[in-house]
Amino acid sequence: MTAEARGVVGDTPDKIDVYDLEQAAQRVVTDTLIRSVLDGDLHVEDLATDHFLRELHADLYGDIWQWAGRLRRREATIGIDPNLIAVELRAGLDTLVWRWTNTTDWTAHEFGIAVHAETVRIHPFVDGNGRTTRLLADLVFLAVQDDEYPPATYDWNVDKAEYVRLLQQFDRDRDPAALARFVRTVSVVD
C-alpha cells in the first residue's frame, strides 16, 4: 500500500476501507475517461492497447497500491504464463482492433466484450483485473458506437457463475457472441 493510502486508512486498514478507496478512485477515473470518449478525445485505437491498459490500471490503483500499472510477474491460478503477458496482450488487442477495423461480423457490443474477455483471459495484473478490464470494455464499447443510439456501457451486474462460465467458453472458442448476449447494456445519458 502507498504511504498516501496509509495516511487515509491507517496502518491496519479493514478490507472495507481499502474497497472504499478503490471505489472512489474508480468513480473519478471512470467519469473522466467516459467524458473523454464522448467528447471524441479518445478513440478505439487509443484505448485498445497494452499501453493504455497499463495506464488505466495505474490510474485506478496508483494512489493506493505500489504495484499499480505493473504487469504480473508470478504465476497465478488464472491467466497465462507471466513471461507471455506483454506479448499476448499487445498481439491480442492489436488483433481485435484489426478485426474490428477490417471485418463486419461483430457488433460494437460484441467487440467491447471481446476486448474484455481477451484481457481477462490474459489476466495481466496481480489484482484489479476485473475492474480494469470491465472499464476498458465500457470505454471501447462507447468509442465504437454509432450516433444512432444513446451512448451505453455494459451492465456488469450479472450472475457471476454464468459470467465465469461464458468467459471460459470465450477462452476456448474466442467467440464473444454468447457473453455479449448475456451482458446487457445501460445508457450513460441521464
Side-chain angles (χ1 to χ4, degrees):
M1 183 169 277
T2 65
E4 294 85 9
R6 286 198 189 283
V8 173
V9 296
D11 288 331
T12 56
D14 293 332
K15 284 185 179 184
I16 192 70
D17 294 331
V18 174
Y19 177 81
D20 288 345
L21 277 178
E22 290 174 344
Q23 286 295 101
Q26 183 174 356
R27 279 190 297 277
V28 170
V29 170
T30 298
D31 291 347
T32 300
L33 290 173
I34 284 177
R35 179 59 37 215
S36 292
V37 171
L38 292 175
D39 288 346
D41 297 331
L42 287 173
H43 304 92
V44 69
E45 297 82 8
D46 306 315
L47 300 165
T49 69
D50 57 320
H51 180 72
F52 181 83
L53 183 65
R54 287 192 313 272
E55 282 185 5
L56 179 60
H57 191 266
D59 288 345
L60 289 170
Y61 298 104
D63 291 337
I64 303 163
W65 300 108
Q66 295 172 344
W67 43 255
R70 296 184 195 157
L71 297 178
R72 178 173 53 86
R73 296 191 324 222
R74 292 198 172 103
E75 285 289 340
T77 57
I78 185 172
I80 65 171
D81 180 321
N83 295 314
L84 301 175
I85 291 172
V87 171
E88 287 277 326
L89 193 57
R90 178 166 291 173
L93 291 172
D94 285 352
T95 298
L96 293 173
V97 170
W98 183 92
R99 183 170 176 176
W100 173 254
T101 305
N102 293 288
T103 68
T104 59
D105 57 331
W106 282 346
T107 65
H109 186 107
E110 290 170 328
F111 175 59
I113 289 293
V115 168
H116 169 66
E118 179 65 6
T119 53
V120 167
R121 179 188 74 79
I122 293 168
H123 199 79
F125 306 108
V126 171
D127 198 7
N129 288 282
R131 285 183 190 177
T132 306
T133 62
R134 286 188 299 269
L135 179 53
L136 178 65
D138 284 338
L139 297 171
V140 166
F141 179 41
L142 274 171
V144 297
Q145 290 172 40
D146 57 31
D147 295 332
E148 191 173 331
Y149 302 100
T153 58
Y154 297 108
D155 181 355
W156 296 108
N157 187 18
V158 296
D159 176 79
K160 188 171 182 177
E162 182 65 5
Y163 167 71
V164 169
R165 187 189 73 72
L166 290 168
L167 282 170
Q168 291 167 337
Q169 181 179 326
F170 175 87
D171 285 355
R172 290 186 300 275
D173 62 22
R174 297 297 195 276
D175 182 356
L179 186 58
R181 283 190 302 273
F182 177 70
V183 179
R184 301 195 186 280
T185 63
V186 61
S187 175
V188 296
V189 179
D190 294 326

